[in-house]
Amino acid sequence: YLFKSNFIFKFFQFFINKIEYLFVDRNILTVMRSDNPDAIILCSLLNDTTLTLNEIIKCAKKSNIKVYYIVRSWDNLTNKAYMNIKPDCFFIWNKFQLEELKIFQRSTKENKIITGALLYEHLLNKKYLLDEKHFRSIASLDDKPIITYLGSSSQIIENEFFFIYEFLEKLSKRKLFCNFNFIIRLHPLSLERVIKNGKLDKNIQSLIFKLTKFKNISFLPNIENFNKEIHDKSIYLSNIFYSYSLIGLNTSAMIESVFFSKNLYIPKINEDYEKKLTESLFTNTFHFKYLNNGNNRTSIAKTINDIDDIFMDNTNLDLLNNFKANFLNLDNYPSQKIIDYLENKHA
């Protein structure tokens, strides 16, 4: 309760910083002063569980070397960690992250440069996209429109295989179901919890068999080649690009689907999962709120009737373009903006 007071928090922060700066890693300090770089760039400060990067910042400040931090992802400033020791400058995505730095990281003195979403600048390069005929041959699909289910990690939704089966079984009863191909794209971490002694859990095997009995439902990548192909960026982006609509609880996919002008739906059609989904890390994060508010094309389907919208083309390009401009901010390559800034600053 005491730390809700801004004055007490600032005093506590000042006190902790003074103590922390009394102790530095002498090996890092020696190397830094020997190399004497013009600047240091960090890319994973808020994901650094070893706190080694904290030591780099402390040593850099003692050596009068500027430290820059490229904010990697949309949620790094909101729900990863608090930066007790801050860099001199942040390269951030957009105006929303300005607010996040102020609210969540209490950053007031440090410089902030808006560059756009560096994490997604590869979307500007169309070379990642496969030819549609080639993609359909990889996925063994005919020419019907594609609807893709994008899986999430277990911290977002537990027992996802059961959820997928129940969801698609209900969806299969809709009139338009047979007019579409359905791809199930699992999250890279989704198989970890259902593999025992190198083999899939028998209950999961049974569910996969039941799903694949539908001729228009397939896994991409398939379970046998999952670990080999799940990180293939060309297949992943082509899957989104050639999909008519997407379903899921995956924040990365939300952003990429919006970039490619696709509708994305969040299923909440079973009371057993209602509480879990409502209280999940996904829907309660700060970034989800402005992501969802900024794009009405992300729809939460609360009943099975609502999900019929996935069969309809209701693209709103004005909303889409506004979101892309304000959130992704990819009018130019962010990496080039960062390079230009550093060259001007340290020429």
Side-chain angles (χ1 to χ4, degrees), residues 199-247:
K199 295 183 179 180
L200 272 177
D201 179 85
K202 289 184 179 180
N203 292 326
I204 301 302
Q205 287 182 2
S206 175
L207 288 176
I208 291 173
F209 176 76
K210 289 178 180 178
L211 283 168
T212 53
K213 74 178 181 181
F214 293 101
K215 292 183 179 179
N216 60 336
I217 293 179
S218 59
F219 286 84
L220 185 69
N222 61 43
I223 303 301
E224 290 75 19
N225 297 327
F226 186 79
N227 290 329
K228 182 180 178 181
E229 296 180 3
I230 190 61
H231 297 293
D232 188 314
K233 187 68 89 174
S234 292
I235 294 177
Y236 171 64
L237 292 178
S238 298
N239 193 163
I240 293 177
F241 185 76
Y242 294 120
S243 289
Y244 181 81
S245 291
L246 300 111
I247 308 164

